[in-house]
Amino acid sequence: MNSKVIIQMDSKKTRICNPKATTDNSPDAHKDFTFDHSYWSFDPSSPQFASQEQVFNDLGMDVVDAAFEGYNACVFAYGQTGSGKTFTMMGSKATTDNSPDAHKDFTFDHSYWSFDPSSPQFASQEQVFNDLGMDVVDAAFEGYNACVFAYGQTGSGKTFTMMGSKDCAFMYCVGKKLWGRKGLCMFHCGGDRLKEGAHINKSLVTLGSVISSLAELSTKKSTFIPYRDSVLTWLLKDSLGGNSKTIMIAAISPADVNYSETLSTLRYANRAKNIINKPTVNEDPNTRIIRELHDEITKLKAMLTS
């Protein structure tokens, strides 16, 4: 996209430069943010370059140690699509064609090739449904509990497989309990990824609202925290402002075309610094009672001795 790099990092400081600023000295030319760490991972040849191992040693090991000590622990990455969240959390190992693990073979009941419609191996949406979907529908009408679900990375075609690409499509959802009743449920959805995208956007917007609300607790005695507004924030309830040692990693794009999204992420991360968690060691109630009684006995013995 012929974009320019607008991110600069120096120690703990991250600077974002406004690509629309008229001069370097103008008031809106840049904004500075300070965090516990600022990792430069754009250019491997840079002396500032932070490797995956460095990030894990700085952040991951503390979380792992805390978990073994009995604390709730959480690390999550926040940022726009393509900014490096998955790579940060999972890493990526490259292999060569000659390496032992370069190729792996797997056997399934069905394997469908849907990459090239001109290929003789190409499997249409109708073929997949006839092979798999009809059995599930028939089983549901016969009274069995049945389910079809798609699993895979973002962009791999899960939504298309389940819903097709027509403006008006039906997805069959058959489950043990779906909205309180058994059997077959069919619901209407808009084409493409409209519904999936809406849920993702809602979750991220709610996460931003939760972060902002928690940050306000440092200046207010009580603030409503909208944890229940999305499944994501409900799952992160303990990790955000609760009983957990939590690390938030803000993944940002260095490109000028992503200026607004990057600035938004940096602002959310800056607010998150004000969130105060109060982690305590998880302990079995019986073990805690025994420990407290043992401490009490020790104190009483000391009092009797004195």
Side-chain angles (χ1 to χ4, degrees):
M1 299 175 70
N2 295 319
S3 57
K4 297 179 180 179
V5 174
I6 58 169
I7 295 296
Q8 300 171 8
M9 289 184 176
D10 181 16
S11 185
K12 296 182 178 182
K13 185 175 73 176
T14 295
R15 169 172 290 185
I16 179 170
C17 302
N18 187 350
K20 295 182 179 180
T22 53
T23 64
D24 292 339
N25 295 324
S26 60
D28 61 343
H30 59 77
K31 297 183 185 297
D32 293 332
F33 298 87
T34 303
F35 303 104
D36 295 325
H37 300 274
S38 287
Y39 295 108
W40 182 251
S41 58
F42 176 70
D43 180 12
S45 64
S46 170
Q48 292 180 293
F49 181 75
S51 65
Q52 183 79 356
E53 289 74 19
Q54 180 183 341
V55 176
F56 177 75
N57 289 333
D58 289 350
L59 307 179
M61 285 304 299
D62 288 342
V63 172
V64 173
D65 291 341
F68 278 114
E69 291 171 7
Y71 291 96
N72 294 328
C74 172
V75 177
F76 71 96
Y78 179 90
Q80 73 178 101
T81 300
S83 59
K85 300 184 297 297
T86 302
F87 176 82
T88 301
M89 299 298 291
M90 309 291 292
S92 176
K93 294 183 178 179
T95 59
T96 63
D97 288 341
N98 296 325
S99 62
D101 58 347
H103 304 285
K104 288 183 172 63
D105 294 327
F106 297 90
T107 301
F108 301 98
D109 291 333
H110 299 275
S111 292
Y112 296 102
W113 180 258
S114 57
F115 178 69
D116 179 13
S118 65
S119 169
Q121 293 178 295
F122 180 76
S124 66
Q125 183 78 357
E126 289 74 20
Q127 181 182 340
V128 175
F129 178 77
N130 289 333
D131 289 351
L132 305 178
M134 285 305 300
D135 288 342
V136 174
V137 173
D138 291 342
F141 279 117
E142 291 172 12
Y144 292 97
N145 295 323
C147 174
V148 175
F149 70 95
Y151 177 84
Q153 72 182 87
T154 300
S156 61
K158 301 185 296 297
T159 305
F160 175 81
T161 301
M162 298 298 291
M163 303 183 67
S165 59
K166 297 180 180 179
D167 291 336
C168 203
F170 285 100
M171 179 167 68
Y172 293 87
C173 288
V174 187
K176 184 175 182 181
K177 278 195 176 180
L178 192 60
W179 293 291
R181 68 180 194 182
K182 296 183 179 181
L184 175 68
C185 287
M186 300 195 319
F187 60 91
H188 177 272
C189 294
D192 247 357
R193 300 185 177 183
L194 180 62
K195 191 160 186 174
E196 182 184 30
H199 282 304
I200 293 172
N201 287 336
K202 179 186 176 184
S203 295
L204 293 178
V205 169
T206 305
L207 177 59
S209 299
V210 167
I211 290 173
S212 296
S213 300
L214 288 169
E216 290 177 3
L217 283 177
S218 60
T219 57
K220 296 181 180 179
K221 289 185 178 180
S222 62
T223 301
F224 173 72
I225 312 298
Y227 289 119
R228 292 181 177 272
D229 286 3
S230 78
V231 176
L232 173 65
T233 50
W234 182 248
L235 291 173
L236 289 174
K237 181 180 178 181
D238 285 335
S239 300
L240 294 172
N243 177 26
S244 175
K245 291 192 173 185
T246 302
I247 292 174
M248 173 183 175
I249 300 175
I252 58 175
S253 165
D256 59 353
V257 293
N258 299 128
Y259 173 78
S260 60
E261 292 89 349
T262 298
L263 182 59
S264 176
T265 298
L266 289 171
R267 282 173 171 164
Y268 274 127
N270 200 49
R271 289 178 184 174
K273 291 194 304 182
N274 297 321
I275 298 175
I276 300 174
N277 280 10
K278 297 178 181 178
T280 57
V281 175
N282 293 312
E283 192 174 23
D284 178 75
N286 292 328
T287 302
R288 179 175 57 80
I289 292 173
I290 293 172
R291 177 178 55 77
E292 291 175 350
L293 289 174
H294 185 270
D295 291 343
E296 186 69 20
I297 291 172
T298 301
K299 290 179 181 179
L300 291 172
K301 285 182 177 180
M303 291 172 61
L304 288 172
T305 302
S306 62

